[in-house]
Amino acid sequence: GIQVEQSPPDLILQEGANSTLRCNFSDSVNNLQWFHQNPWGQLINLFYIPSGTKQNGRLSATTVATERYSLLYISSSQTTDSGVYFCAEAYNTDKLIFGTGTRLQVFP
Amino acid sequence: EAGVAQSPRYKIIEKRQSVAFWCNPISGHATLYWYQQILGQGPKLLIQFQNNGVVDDSQLPKDRFSAERLKGVDSTLKIQPAKLEDSAVYLCASSRGRLREQYFGPGTRLTVT
């Protein structure tokens, strides 16, 4: 079936470190989104990135649609970056299929 | 621009009781979604509206869940009767149209005891 695989499942960093999160997709990518779910449960939009590269401050994302994967880069991590990061893809429908998430903990 | 609004934020009920959640999407967004997020998992779509019509309700447990968006703006999701396995966060999202970026509300955390 249609799947979204995320890695790593858990990540523990010290403040200031950099990290890379990855999503692999089982079908063509055309509506990919990255989210950060904060400790209060709010899903915050990070990037809408069906292809190419985007940057927003310390975060950037790259999607290689032909190879069905996307990467989220976090540089100079801060404690406020802690939470769960999800990627999601709708696969030509409107139903976002979410990955299982990467749980990030950043310690001072 | 105001985000997606949801209420209540938290609800605790006993099994077999009923509960309703409310969502007001971002102004001008024609498409509205209800997702269910069980602890430790990603959200899963329950129902999608385009204006006041249902586009996809294939994963809505229709024997106990119902949803409406009568005037094509705000929406309510109801569970009657609730089961223990309905304990989850219910997220509302909206988008300008189909196959567009989706924006999520803060969610309603439901605990069924």
Side-chain angles (χ1 to χ4, degrees):
Chain A
I2 294 174
Q3 294 180 46
V4 177
E5 295 180 351
Q6 286 191 245
S7 61
D10 294 281
L11 197 51
I12 300 174
L13 301 174
Q14 195 157 20
E15 226 172 7
N18 303 327
S19 60
T20 301
L21 284 59
R22 183 179 178 108
C23 273
N24 290 326
F25 302 91
S26 60
D27 206 339
S28 301
V29 174
N30 51 38
N31 201 20
L32 196 161
Q33 292 188 237
W34 279 98
F35 299 92
H36 175 215
Q37 190 162 43
N38 65 23
W40 296 270
Q42 173 83 53
L43 271 172
I44 299 164
N45 289 48
L46 296 178
F47 295 102
Y48 177 75
I49 185 165
S51 63
T53 297
K54 291 186 177 180
Q55 181 156 6
N56 185 3
R58 296 180 296 104
L59 302 182
S60 65
T62 295
T63 296
V64 183
T66 53
E67 297 186 21
R68 301 181 181 176
Y69 73 88
S70 183
L71 302 173
L72 178 70
Y73 305 98
I74 305 174
S75 64
S76 304
S77 57
Q78 300 176 358
T79 56
T80 51
D81 295 332
S82 296
V84 182
Y85 289 79
F86 287 103
C87 58
E89 169 58 43
Y91 293 121
N92 264 335
T93 71
D94 291 306
K95 179 172 24 182
L96 279 177
I97 306 296
F98 283 77
T100 50
T102 292
R103 183 173 301 275
L104 174 64
Q105 297 179 72
V106 182
F107 292 95
Chain B
E1 175 178 74
V4 177
Q6 289 188 249
S7 67
R9 293 296 311 277
Y10 305 92
K11 190 75 177 178
I12 301 174
I13 62 172
E14 294 182 353
K15 60 183 178 183
R16 291 188 289 274
Q17 286 187 324
S18 62
V19 64
F21 313 128
W22 175 82
C23 170
N24 193 36
I26 294 172
S27 177
H29 280 198
T31 313
L32 186 147
Y33 313 80
W34 284 101
Y35 287 82
Q36 180 192 58
Q37 185 176 21
I38 293 172
L39 187 65
Q41 301 179 17
K44 294 181 181 177
L45 182 71
L46 290 174
I47 189 168
Q48 175 195 347
F49 293 93
Q50 178 70 18
N51 296 310
N52 60 352
V54 174
V55 175
D56 183 352
D57 63 357
S58 58
Q59 299 196 78
L60 187 74
K62 298 181 188 63
D63 58 333
R64 298 183 301 106
F65 287 63
S66 65
E68 60 183 15
R69 192 185 185 199
L70 292 176
K71 295 183 179 179
V73 181
D74 58 348
S75 174
T76 56
L77 176 70
K78 297 179 181 178
I79 308 175
Q80 182 180 6
K83 292 185 175 181
L84 296 177
E85 58 260 36
D86 298 332
S87 294
V89 176
Y90 291 85
L91 294 160
C92 180
S94 71
S95 63
R96 291 192 181 279
R98 302 186 63 176
L99 297 178
R100 303 288 294 275
E101 186 174 6
Q102 296 183 27
Y103 297 87
F104 284 77
T108 297
R109 185 175 300 274
L110 173 67
T111 302
V112 182
T113 62

